[in-house]
């Protein structure tokens, strides 16, 4: 199907609407919908929260029954099954729309083209593929989980211009500026889980939560006091964590991954210990990622030290790298980004594709994926 300039503009609006749910929809996808009739927008909406009305429902409600003969622009194929809400495809059929344009087909096996099929069987014209690249970027975690069964892992790294993360003595606060640290809060808030290691928690006494005081997207969250906290997942194979750490001062779910249960401490009710198998004397990281997938976790924000990041990197468990580069030089003796095997051939060096490079305050944020 040939898409017009107007089609592009309406779908671009639907994508912007979908972004408004990025801190609240997990584990559901971010979806936006725009209803157009006689070249005028009559309704629009986005999915706000899992279990609540989908984007199409919000748009239909705003249209107030004026949808006969309208065109719907949706960033993801309308659902065709009964879950916690009725099928959106049926809602569009009942509303009398004449055309539905989707940015992409939903890879969820419960949908996977069935929504489009349901619409077509009702005599509604359909098309998909409009701004699909932009639509996929909305839901990296949801899509990877549906397509592979595993969550999308993003590694957050911060370094000086010469690639150092800390002084030789371990001091690292603060390499980057306050605007970059606010930026990190937004990425944490978008993620289902924050993954780290015991070293990071112990050395920094880190909370690894989303801090309302540093959260910048105020307009996208109605009540900062109720800001959804990602699950904090800590790998602690030597059972060094203890309940007096700042990590446990905020009541939100924490999963401690171990190879042997800690029976020494009395843990708060929101803390769960999970034992996983070993691999070469350490916790099996592949098993860890597979376990997180079973916990309805689509997107993982890896915020850890050089040892864990290096191991995840070597085992090809990272999908995307977000590196904050500060305009500083630490010099010889500073600690590097990764601890990993020493390479001996240039051909062994993995190449990456830089997908974004933007200035964030005084720092540069580089996003890269494996080729």
């Amino acid at each position: 199907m040939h898409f017009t300039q107007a089609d592009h503009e309406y779908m671009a609006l639907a994508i912007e609407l979908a972004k408004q749910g990025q801190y609240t929809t997990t584990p559901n996808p971010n979806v936006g919908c725009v209803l157009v009739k006689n070249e005028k927008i009559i309704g629009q909406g986005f999915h706000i929260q899992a279990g609540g009305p989908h984007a199409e429902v919000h748009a239909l409600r705003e249209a107030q029954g004026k949808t006969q003969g309208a065109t719907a622009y949706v960033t993801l194929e309308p659902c065709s099954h009964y879950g916690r809400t009725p099928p959106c495809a049926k809602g569009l059929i009942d509303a009398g729309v004449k055309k539905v344009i989707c940015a992409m087909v939903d890879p969820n096996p419960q949908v996977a083209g069935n929504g489009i099929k349901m619409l077509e069987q009702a005599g509604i014209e359909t098309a998909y593929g409009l701004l699909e690249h932009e639509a996929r970027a909305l839901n990296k975690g949801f899509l990877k989980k549906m397509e592979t069964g595993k969550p999308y892992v993003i590694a957050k790294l911060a370094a000086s211009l010469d690639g150092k993360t800390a002084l030789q003595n371990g001091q690292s606060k603060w390499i980057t500026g306050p605007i970059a640290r606010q930026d990190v809060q937004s990425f944490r808030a978008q993620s289902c889980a924050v993954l780290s290691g015991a070293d990071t928690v112990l050395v920094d006494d880190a909370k690894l939560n989303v801090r309302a005081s540093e959260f910048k997207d105020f307009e996208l969250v109605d009540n900062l006091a109720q800001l959804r906290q990602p699950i904090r997942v800590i790998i602690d194979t030597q059972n060094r964590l203890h309940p007096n750490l700042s990590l446990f001062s905020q009541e939100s779910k924490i999963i401690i991954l171990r190879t042997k249960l800690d029976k020494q401490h009395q843990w708060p009710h929101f803390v769960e210990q999970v034992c996983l198998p070993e691999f070469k004397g350490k916790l099996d990281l592949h098993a860890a990622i597979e376990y997180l997938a079973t916990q309805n976790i689509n997107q993982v924000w890896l915020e850890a030290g050089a040892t864990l990041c290096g191991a995840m990197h070597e085992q090809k468990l990272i999908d995307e790298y977000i590196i904050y580069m500060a305009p500083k030089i630490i010099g010889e003796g500073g600690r590097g980004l990764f601890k990993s095997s020493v390479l001996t051939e240039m051909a062994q060096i993995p190449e990456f594709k830089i997908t974004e490079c933007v200035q964030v305050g005084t720092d540069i944020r580089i996003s890269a994926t494996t080729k």
Side-chain angles (χ1 to χ4, degrees), residues 96-214:
V97 302
K98 69 173 183 179
K99 183 188 297 185
V100 176
I101 298 177
C102 314
M104 61 174 295
V105 174
D106 189 342
N108 183 345
Q110 293 181 298
V111 186
N114 290 323
I116 291 173
K117 183 178 179 181
M118 183 184 293
L119 293 167
E120 290 176 342
Q121 289 175 341
I124 296 173
E125 183 182 352
T126 67
Y128 60 89
L130 175 60
L131 300 185
E132 180 171 354
H133 177 76
E134 292 81 352
R136 290 189 66 88
L138 287 170
N139 296 300
K140 296 174 183 177
F142 172 80
L143 295 174
K144 186 183 179 190
K145 178 79 175 304
M146 286 297 171
E147 293 168 350
T148 71
K150 297 179 182 178
Y152 189 86
V153 179
I154 304 173
K156 171 261 178 181
L157 304 157
S160 59
L161 290 178
D162 55 342
K164 306 299 183 182
T165 64
L167 299 176
Q168 191 172 37
N169 62 11
Q171 290 186 33
S172 61
K173 292 184 177 179
W174 296 101
I175 288 179
T176 55
I179 304 302
R181 297 199 295 275
Q182 286 182 358
D183 202 53
V184 169
Q185 294 294 310
S186 295
F187 280 108
R188 282 185 186 175
Q190 291 175 48
S191 302
C192 304
V194 174
L195 175 62
S196 192
D199 280 341
T200 296
V201 175
L202 291 167
V203 172
D204 299 335
D205 196 18
K207 291 183 178 179
L208 298 170
N209 62 331
V210 179
R211 296 186 289 275
S213 61
E214 296 182 31

Side-chain angles (χ1 to χ4, degrees), residues 145 149 151 289-297:
K145 178 79 175 304
I289 294 301
E290 289 170 5
Y291 169 76
L292 295 182
T294 69
Q295 301 302 298
N296 245 352
I297 291 173

Side-chain angles (χ1 to χ4, degrees), residues 65-364:
K66 302 173 183 177
T67 52
Q68 191 70 39
T71 297
Y73 296 85
V74 193
T75 58
L76 187 67
E77 175 188 4
C79 61
S80 56
H81 63 291
Y82 283 89
R84 284 186 278 186
T85 58
C88 289
K90 184 177 185 302
L92 292 169
I93 292 168
D94 293 343
V97 302
K98 69 173 183 179
K99 183 188 297 185
V100 176
I101 298 177
C102 314
M104 61 174 295
V105 174
D106 189 342
N108 183 345
Q110 293 181 298
V111 186
N114 290 323
I116 291 173
K117 183 178 179 181
M118 183 184 293
L119 293 167
E120 290 176 342
Q121 289 175 341
I124 296 173
E125 183 182 352
T126 67
Y128 60 89
L130 175 60
L131 300 185
E132 180 171 354
H133 177 76
E134 292 81 352
R136 290 189 66 88
L138 287 170
N139 296 300
K140 296 174 183 177
F142 172 80
L143 295 174
K144 186 183 179 190
K145 178 79 175 304
M146 286 297 171
E147 293 168 350
T148 71
K150 297 179 182 178
Y152 189 86
V153 179
I154 304 173
K156 171 261 178 181
L157 304 157
S160 59
L161 290 178
D162 55 342
K164 306 299 183 182
T165 64
L167 299 176
Q168 191 172 37
N169 62 11
Q171 290 186 33
S172 61
K173 292 184 177 179
W174 296 101
I175 288 179
T176 55
I179 304 302
R181 297 199 295 275
Q182 286 182 358
D183 202 53
V184 169
Q185 294 294 310
S186 295
F187 280 108
R188 282 185 186 175
Q190 291 175 48
S191 302
C192 304
V194 174
L195 175 62
S196 192
D199 280 341
T200 296
V201 175
L202 291 167
V203 172
D204 299 335
D205 196 18
K207 291 183 178 179
L208 298 170
N209 62 331
V210 179
R211 296 186 289 275
S213 61
E214 296 182 31
F215 188 73
K216 63 179 182 177
D217 288 335
F218 298 103
E219 71 279 4
L220 296 184
V221 179
D222 292 333
N223 187 348
L224 283 176
Q226 297 177 2
L227 188 64
R228 180 188 63 79
Q229 291 290 338
I231 299 171
R232 289 170 288 171
V233 182
I234 314 300
I235 296 175
D236 180 24
T237 54
Q238 298 178 48
N239 294 8
R240 291 180 293 158
L241 299 182
H242 55 82
N244 295 327
L245 292 164
S246 295
L247 179 77
F248 305 104
S249 64
Q250 170 152 350
E251 187 171 331
S252 65
K253 186 172 182 179
I254 295 174
I255 299 174
I256 304 178
L257 301 181
R258 307 186 186 278
T259 55
K260 183 179 180 181
L261 280 181
D262 172 20
K263 298 179 181 179
Q264 177 184 356
H265 298 102
Q266 184 68 39
W267 295 99
H269 68 90
F270 54 86
V271 176
E272 179 183 359
Q273 296 187 73
V274 176
C275 283
L276 294 176
E278 290 186 7
F279 177 72
K280 294 184 177 179
K282 296 183 178 181
L283 186 131
D284 187 333
L285 294 176
H286 285 271
I289 294 301
E290 289 170 5
Y291 169 76
L292 295 182
T294 69
Q295 301 302 298
N296 245 352
I297 291 173
N298 296 337
Q299 184 163 302
V300 175
W301 179 251
L302 173 62
E303 194 167 335
T307 300
L308 180 53
C309 284
M312 294 280 287
H313 168 71
E314 281 203 328
Q315 295 181 42
K316 296 180 171 54
L317 291 172
I318 299 172
D319 298 289
E320 183 175 354
Y321 299 75
I322 292 182
I323 306 170
Y324 294 89
M325 300 291 293
K328 301 172 182 177
I329 294 178
I330 290 179
E332 188 176 357
R335 299 187 178 186
L337 285 169
F338 298 110
K339 285 185 179 178
S340 57
S341 303
V342 176
L343 304 181
T344 57
E345 300 288 341
M346 291 297 291
Q348 297 173 321
I349 301 174
E351 281 196 54
F352 297 87
K353 177 183 178 182
I354 294 178
T355 57
E356 186 180 46
C357 186
V358 296
Q359 186 154 355
V360 182
T362 57
D363 307 303
I364 298 294

